[in-house]
Amino acid sequence: MPDMSYLIGRQPILNRNEEVVGYELLFRSSGSHNSASFRDASYATASVIIGTLSGFGLERILGAYRGFINLDLELLMSDSLELLPRERVVLELLENLRVTPELIERCLALKEAGFVLALDDHIFDAEYEELYRIVEIVKIDLLQTPVESLAEMVRHLQPFPVKLLAEKVETREEFRQCLALGFEYFQGFYFATPSIIEKRHFDEAGANLLKLVRLVEDDADIDEIVQTFRSSPGMTYKLLLLVNSVSLGLREKIRTVQHAVAILGRQQIKRWAQLALFASDDNRGIERDPLVDMAAVRAALMEQLARCHPELKEFREAADKAFMVGILSLLETIYSISMDEVIANLNLSEEIGAALTLRSGLLGKLLDLAEMIEGMHFEAAFDRLEAMGISHEELLAAQVRAYNWRSGLN
């Protein structure tokens, strides 16, 4: 079993239709934290490359998508890259790399071998012209290059056969401006933090989904659950779309609510109802929706962590509560509904309510940890982990299981 004293950060990369097309994978060992030297970062990346392939498999972390992985010069020149499935990864060249004949030769060899190359955190420089003809993607950090300065850089890069990726996109306005400039890919949490005007209206379908979650939680009669579906065709469509997207090895598609409840059971119906709250009404599909991705991974990670938490694991319902807290924690940022309304509609316990509104209690601390990992705040995550008494190995295993569960929705 590989050394597992590190964390995996996984951030979605979206295309112009805001569909998930890949993930950037960031790795931090417990000794390096956020202040890791490039040597530490290289060691962590090399360890994870070997570990994920031999211990877990990239499929479980990435699903059907490509993984973007940072490489320093030492790792770029290393034969260990031959371990990577070239059709599944994008190799990101760190911004501190100097352009030398040896670097150009290595990049050409990797490209000819079938690897996709990208320049990370890049600012245009004529010295990189040879690399611009080799790499396929140029990543531009909006914190380093504000949106108002992008037009000139885009103009300089237009003669080259590269696609532009905007990273650290935090607002819808930044996304629109980059879209207008011709960027192909986008990275950042803008999709989960819409402006007040753009927040989804919490319509009848949303209210019915919350009602459904409560009915299942209260062990209501099947007829009452079915009637709730029948009152909202839109909700039925969303839920059955989710249920049919799951890899359960079913011989036939689920076509009715009764069939879904009979085949999957109440617990799974509740899960899909919770996830359906995040499914968009557009055409991008459940499997490529970044909000479903974010909600599913956060909830599944909290569920897995509750099962290894020294105190929570003693309670049979703790994992289910943790999953619910993870899902519901995102509602307020997406919908025009307050967390107090969500708590009231679901008649949630004080424990869950306090976790959602105050981040207090054991569930609140788990939610904090999940959000730290989501935001790549590794140092704080390691500190929280230690305070909770959860080992690095347990967290890594929980992460992989959460990513794998999300991939099962594809």
Side-chain angles (χ1 to χ4, degrees), residues 298 302 309 312 321-322 325-326 329 350-372 384 388:
R298 180 184 293 187
M302 289 186 61
H309 189 286
L312 288 173
K321 288 180 179 178
V325 168
S329 64
E350 288 185 15
E351 178 190 20
I352 293 178
L356 288 167
T357 56
L358 303 173
R359 300 296 191 269
S360 63
L362 297 178
L363 293 175
K365 288 180 171 58
L366 274 189
L367 176 55
D368 259 346
L369 176 59
E371 290 175 331
M372 288 170 189
R384 174 57 57 86
M388 284 183 167

Side-chain angles (χ1 to χ4, degrees), residues 74-360:
E74 182 180 358
L75 192 52
L76 182 70
M77 296 296 187
S78 169
D79 290 339
S80 65
L81 288 185
E82 302 303 319
L83 289 170
L84 291 171
R86 54 208 67 193
E87 72 282 357
R88 300 302 313 280
V89 298
V90 176
L91 307 179
E92 293 189 20
L93 282 60
L94 290 175
E95 67 276 11
N96 66 321
L97 291 179
R98 289 178 55 250
V99 180
T100 64
E102 292 77 18
L103 179 68
I104 296 297
E105 182 181 358
R106 177 59 169 160
C107 289
L108 279 171
L110 289 170
K111 182 174 183 178
E112 289 173 4
F115 285 101
V116 174
L117 303 178
L119 291 175
D120 189 34
D121 293 346
H122 194 68
I123 296 175
F124 176 82
D125 189 324
E127 290 185 9
Y128 283 80
E129 286 196 4
E130 280 190 90
L131 274 180
Y132 295 147
R133 294 186 175 91
I134 299 172
V135 303
E136 293 186 29
I137 298 169
V138 174
K139 298 183 69 175
I140 298 174
D141 187 326
L142 296 195
L143 293 184
Q144 293 180 359
T145 308
V147 173
E148 55 270 19
S149 307
L150 285 177
E152 184 178 359
M153 192 182 300
V154 170
R155 181 172 58 80
H156 284 307
L157 289 168
Q158 276 177 341
F160 302 99
V162 297
K163 294 181 178 179
L164 302 182
L165 187 158
E167 54 181 335
K168 295 188 176 68
V169 183
E170 301 302 323
T171 68
R172 303 295 306 186
E173 184 56 30
E174 287 176 341
F175 167 68
R176 291 193 185 96
Q177 289 176 301
C178 291
L179 197 64
L181 286 169
F183 279 73
E184 292 287 340
Y185 304 115
F186 307 87
Q187 186 177 346
F189 287 115
Y190 72 94
F191 64 84
T193 53
S195 67
I196 294 175
I197 295 175
E198 292 175 320
K199 280 190 177 183
R200 296 186 202 167
H201 177 62
F202 204 76
D203 56 14
E204 184 181 354
N208 277 322
L209 280 168
L210 283 186
K211 180 181 177 183
L212 176 64
V213 172
R214 182 173 176 177
L215 286 172
V216 178
E217 187 78 19
D218 293 343
D219 203 26
D221 290 339
I222 293 297
D223 288 344
E224 195 173 356
I225 292 173
V226 171
Q227 189 56 44
T228 303
F229 274 99
R230 287 176 176 165
S231 68
S232 174
M235 182 183 76
T236 302
Y237 169 76
K238 276 188 177 183
L239 196 62
L240 294 184
L241 189 65
L242 267 172
V243 169
N244 283 321
S245 72
V246 181
S247 305
L248 293 175
L250 300 178
R251 294 181 180 178
E252 58 180 323
K253 290 288 186 181
I254 293 175
R255 295 181 178 83
T256 68
V257 178
Q258 292 95 327
H259 189 193
V261 174
I263 294 294
L264 297 179
R266 293 169 181 267
Q267 179 67 6
Q268 293 286 40
I269 288 293
K270 183 173 68 173
R271 292 280 167 96
W272 309 143
Q274 291 167 345
L275 282 175
L277 286 162
F278 298 91
S280 301
D281 292 323
D282 53 32
N283 296 319
R284 63 185 156 194
I286 297 298
E287 71 279 1
R288 303 182 75 178
D289 190 316
L291 282 172
V292 174
D293 184 81
M294 192 175 186
V297 170
R298 180 184 293 187
L301 177 61
M302 289 186 61
E303 175 188 33
Q304 295 299 328
L305 289 173
R307 288 180 173 148
C308 57
H309 189 286
E311 296 178 62
L312 288 173
K313 68 182 181 182
E314 302 299 325
F315 300 96
R316 186 173 57 84
E317 296 180 349
D320 191 46
K321 288 180 179 178
F323 186 97
M324 178 178 282
V325 168
I327 282 283
L328 298 182
S329 64
L330 284 164
L331 280 186
E332 199 173 32
T333 63
I334 298 163
Y335 287 101
S336 55
I337 184 173
S338 71
M339 191 54 69
D340 287 339
E341 288 179 87
V342 173
I343 292 168
N345 284 333
L346 289 177
N347 193 28
L348 296 175
S349 67
E350 288 185 15
E351 178 190 20
I352 293 178
L356 288 167
T357 56
L358 303 173
R359 300 296 191 269
S360 63

Side-chain angles (χ1 to χ4, degrees), residues 10 22-25 57-68 88-89 403 407 410:
R10 192 185 83 160
Y23 296 98
E24 176 162 13
L25 299 179
L58 284 177
E59 288 283 344
R60 298 183 66 185
I61 295 175
L62 293 172
Y65 304 110
R66 285 184 181 267
F68 287 59
R88 300 302 313 280
V89 298
Y403 294 145
S407 297
N410 290 347

Side-chain angles (χ1 to χ4, degrees), residues 24-37:
E24 176 162 13
L25 299 179
L26 295 177
F27 314 108
R28 283 294 182 274
S29 65
S30 57
S32 63
H33 287 336
N34 280 339
S35 58
S37 67

